[in-house]
Amino acid sequence: DAAWQAEARSAWQKNPSQTRPQFLEGLVPLEEYLDGSGLMVFESADMLDSLRIADLAGEFDLKPWMVGHGREYQRLDSLAETGLGQILPLDFPDAPDVDGNDRDISLIELRHWQAAPENPARVIESGLPVVFTSHPHGSANALYDNLARALENGLDAEAALAALTTEPAKMLGLDDRLGRLARGYIANFIVVEGELMTESPVIREVWIDGRQHVLGEFEPPEVEPAGKWDLVMKTGEMGDIEAELKLSGKAPVLSGEFVVMGMPVPLAEARVSGKRLKVRIDGAGLGMPGNINFSLDIDGERATGKGSSPMGSFGLSARRTSGPDNDEDSA
């Protein structure tokens, strides 16, 4: 319809004496895709949906990108024949609780749990253009966790870096100024200590459009805060809110969860610098945008500190009620 309208309008402009063709404004945005100049993206729900999109693209000679679903490995040969670019969510299922409430989980889902972390590597190896996305997560924080899982399951680190930098820039037509470190390019990059491709990379600097932003330096840890802590968040207008912080591992990097109003949320980051514990929590787990950040200055079994959230700033007091659950947590 868009092609017909464009041709009819052109014919009428050359010969206005003929009847003016019907004009449907909603078709105009589609005209830029007729010559392939527009970036078209389809969102696919499953493998059959991907093949339907490929058939549609072939019928109209389109070259869209496809937001995937993580099951591309099921019909990868057929998908590879299309040559269509894939926007792959780094979103893998958790291990099913076969000892609990998920005993009725299907064999298909069990197979998907096993195969999903291999999917990014297999799609890239098929030769298809690939970029990664944090969609459909509520937060991008899960991207690094799942990226680490993909690397453990065959994904090449250089290919992963390309799928996060050069390939997205190319897809968006911005590869002449974004996606790589080069003279004349916009200087957006991060500086990390150690490895980038880990679950919790230690980011030291963030450069945005050539401007340097140095993150807080970490000192060697002087405390081991693993264990359970009772927290009191002093919010002012909302009063005092009781919470619990569960920490495991060994400083400087720990893991654990934050529990408030009966809702447990995994920690996005917990690091020790000197006698200070710095914690970051993804607010999506509590139904709010942004992050909750707070720090605790530890003195024995007690601590005080302050923090901020999308709801405002707050003060903190804390008391450790128990140490690590077992020796493994502190090893």
Side-chain angles (χ1 to χ4, degrees):
D1 289 343
W4 179 89
Q5 179 167 282
E7 293 173 1
R9 185 173 65 248
S10 177
W12 175 75
Q13 289 171 343
K14 293 177 180 178
N15 181 16
S17 63
Q18 62 182 310
T19 303
R20 186 175 64 184
Q22 183 182 11
F23 178 74
L24 298 176
E25 186 175 359
L27 294 177
V28 174
L30 292 176
E31 292 181 9
E32 63 178 302
Y33 301 102
L34 297 174
D35 60 2
S37 61
L39 174 62
M40 181 175 288
V41 178
F42 283 89
E43 188 165 1
S44 175
D46 52 37
M47 198 57 238
L48 291 179
D49 210 14
S50 295
L51 297 178
R52 293 188 192 101
I53 293 169
D55 285 344
L56 180 67
E59 180 179 351
F60 292 98
D61 197 25
L62 303 173
K63 293 295 182 182
W65 282 76
M66 202 180 299
V67 179
H69 37 73
R71 298 175 185 265
E72 286 77 14
Y73 62 87
Q74 294 176 339
R75 298 284 297 276
L76 189 54
D77 289 344
S78 298
L79 190 63
E81 291 176 359
T82 70
L84 298 181
Q86 303 295 307
I87 305 174
L88 294 184
L90 287 176
D91 182 20
F92 308 136
D94 295 327
D97 182 13
V98 294
D99 294 326
N101 299 324
D102 294 340
R103 290 187 177 184
D104 293 333
I105 190 168
S106 68
L107 180 59
I108 292 176
E109 291 306 303
L110 284 171
R111 285 174 173 167
H112 178 57
W113 164 73
Q114 182 181 38
E118 301 175 4
N119 189 64
R122 294 173 64 177
V123 176
I124 289 176
E125 289 170 359
S126 75
L128 288 171
V130 171
V131 303
F132 291 151
T133 177
S134 61
H135 173 83
H137 296 298
S139 167
N141 289 334
L143 185 143
Y144 277 110
D145 292 342
N146 287 322
L147 180 60
R149 289 180 64 185
L151 289 167
E152 292 172 357
N153 285 271
L155 177 62
D156 177 73
E158 290 297 322
L161 184 61
L164 292 166
T165 55
T166 54
E167 291 299 322
K170 188 185 301 182
M171 178 191 75
L172 296 171
L174 301 174
D175 54 322
D176 60 339
R177 53 195 181 277
L178 286 173
R180 63 180 73 241
L181 287 172
R183 184 181 296 274
Y185 278 55
I186 298 173
N188 294 340
F189 61 92
I190 62 175
V191 178
V192 301
E193 178 181 325
E195 293 295 327
L196 170 65
M197 299 296 182
T198 65
E199 292 185 14
S200 300
V202 181
I203 300 175
R204 293 303 191 196
E205 300 177 18
V206 177
W207 290 68
I208 302 174
D209 200 11
R211 293 180 175 86
Q212 180 187 31
H213 303 268
V214 179
L215 305 188
E217 293 290 336
F218 284 90
E219 302 173 2
E222 299 178 30
V223 294
E224 290 290 348
K228 295 180 181 179
W229 294 78
D230 285 342
L231 306 180
V232 178
M233 305 168 66
K234 306 176 185 300
T235 64
E237 293 183 0
M238 296 177 62
D240 292 350
I241 298 176
E242 295 184 354
E244 186 179 51
L245 180 65
K246 300 178 181 179
L247 296 170
S248 61
K250 184 176 176 62
V253 180
L254 298 96
S255 59
E257 67 178 8
F258 176 74
V259 184
V260 62
M261 294 180 288
M263 293 187 289
V265 183
L267 303 182
E269 184 178 24
R271 292 183 59 87
V272 177
S273 176
K275 294 184 178 181
R276 176 169 292 180
L277 171 69
K278 299 182 179 182
V279 175
R280 178 168 56 88
I281 301 159
D282 182 6
L286 298 172
M288 64 176 68
N291 290 327
I292 300 171
N293 298 281
F294 63 81
S295 61
L296 287 170
D297 292 320
I298 298 173
D299 184 7
E301 303 301 299
R302 294 186 178 274
T304 58
K306 58 184 179 180
S308 63
S309 76
M311 305 300 291
S313 59
F314 54 88
L316 273 174
S317 62
R319 180 175 63 90
R320 179 154 50 183
T321 58
S322 66
D325 290 337
N326 52 52
D327 293 338
E328 183 181 347
D329 285 338
S330 58

